[in-house]
Amino acid sequence: MTPQPLRILLVEDDELFRLGLRVRLQQQPELEIVAEAEDGETAIELAGTHAFDVILLDVGLPGMGGIETCYQIKQRYPNLPILILTSHSQTALITRLVAAGAQGYCLKGIAAETLILALRSVASGASWWDATATETIRTGLERSTLPTTTDIPSNETHGLTQREQEVLALIAVGKSNPEIAKVLYITPGTVRVHVHSILHKLGVRDRSQAAIVAQQNQLIFESTSEDRTNREI
């Protein structure tokens, strides 16, 4: 009996690179690109509408970015494995990927055979970290906690991520979703996702109540353009 192909969601904003990946991966009869996305919002929607075995996710996505996309997908579908594609392997990126729930990463430009092996490994429940990442993870465990990032919730902020804090600060001064999108250089769709998450985490019905709760609990933090630039490595 022929085994079921590995069902993959391919998330990559570079159209030519995505095409190359699709062609190469589908040369393997045991791999199937079920769906593709070029941004995080679409990837999150697709993750809930198809039965995927693994997600291959580019870290440098437009809009909410690859790390936040990874985090939000893992919050909704914790058992769905995610393998990250990236051009970098700095310690700061690795700690953010671990905290976001990724099962591993591959550097762009690696041999296709290695990427295929990584996809199979992650889909089977294993992880795929190189020596640099393994050392970073080991160091974090020795300190009894994995390093966190501004993208991962903390108790002091009612579970709001750094980006959600930025959105909340703009809500509090009366900005609309399109205005928030323009200020933060994200799409209105991403803003809607964040607003929904903010209302849920704060336990309120609307934006006005969210602003009041934020002010009462001092949840609004000033963000800078440098903070936004450093969110994706």
Side-chain angles (χ1 to χ4, degrees):
M1 182 177 178
T2 304
Q4 180 94 13
L6 200 64
R7 296 161 297 186
I8 301 169
L9 169 57
L10 175 58
V11 188
E12 166 62 56
D13 65 306
D14 186 318
E15 184 177 0
L16 290 178
F17 187 71
R18 188 173 69 248
L19 174 61
L21 280 174
R22 182 205 313 150
V23 171
R24 182 62 184 88
L25 292 176
Q26 294 205 143
Q27 289 177 351
Q28 305 296 312
E30 70 274 23
L31 302 180
E32 179 185 2
I33 306 296
V34 175
E36 300 177 24
E38 59 183 20
D39 56 57
E41 295 89 341
T42 304
I44 292 170
E45 291 178 6
L46 288 172
T49 58
H50 294 74
F52 296 108
D53 297 305
V54 62
I55 296 178
L56 182 58
L57 175 66
D58 177 29
V59 75
L61 296 175
M64 68 172 59
I67 294 176
E68 178 107 355
T69 300
C70 177
Y71 174 70
Q72 293 207 23
I73 290 175
K74 295 299 287 188
Q75 289 294 296
R76 292 167 171 77
Y77 315 103
N79 296 322
L80 181 54
I82 298 178
L83 179 68
I84 298 292
L85 271 177
T86 176
S87 300
H88 310 283
S89 61
Q90 293 98 329
T91 298
L93 173 61
I94 295 166
T95 58
R96 295 175 75 188
L97 293 178
V98 172
Q103 275 66 49
Y105 74 88
C106 285
L107 292 174
K108 290 184 176 181
I110 64 169
E113 291 75 14
T114 303
L115 177 59
I116 292 168
L117 178 59
L119 282 167
R120 290 171 177 162
S121 298
V122 168
S124 68
S127 59
W128 189 269
W129 304 104
D130 61 14
T132 300
T134 300
E135 177 62 22
T136 300
I137 295 168
R138 182 187 67 78
T139 301
L141 290 173
E142 287 178 349
R143 293 172 181 170
S144 301
T145 180
L146 287 173
T148 59
T149 75
T150 56
D151 280 324
I152 305 305
S154 64
N155 291 333
E156 291 76 13
T157 60
H158 285 225
L160 298 180
T161 68
Q162 177 66 34
R163 177 62 89 193
E164 288 166 352
Q165 292 170 27
E166 294 170 352
V167 171
L168 181 55
L170 294 170
I171 289 174
V173 296
K175 296 290 186 182
S176 65
N177 283 2
E179 290 172 332
I180 293 173
K182 185 176 181 180
V183 171
L184 298 181
Y185 300 100
I186 57 179
T187 67
T190 301
V191 177
R192 287 194 297 272
V193 171
H194 288 314
V195 171
H196 177 78
S197 179
I198 290 167
L199 298 183
H200 174 73
K201 289 178 180 179
L202 297 183
V204 297
R205 294 191 304 272
D206 55 39
R207 301 160 71 98
S208 297
Q209 289 185 352
I212 293 171
V213 171
Q215 292 166 350
Q216 290 175 341
N217 291 273
Q218 298 182 331
L219 297 180
I220 298 175
F221 297 85
E222 182 178 0
S223 63
T224 66
S225 58
E226 182 181 1
D227 292 333
R228 294 193 293 270
T229 300
N230 290 333
R231 284 177 59 79
E232 291 296 339
I233 298 175

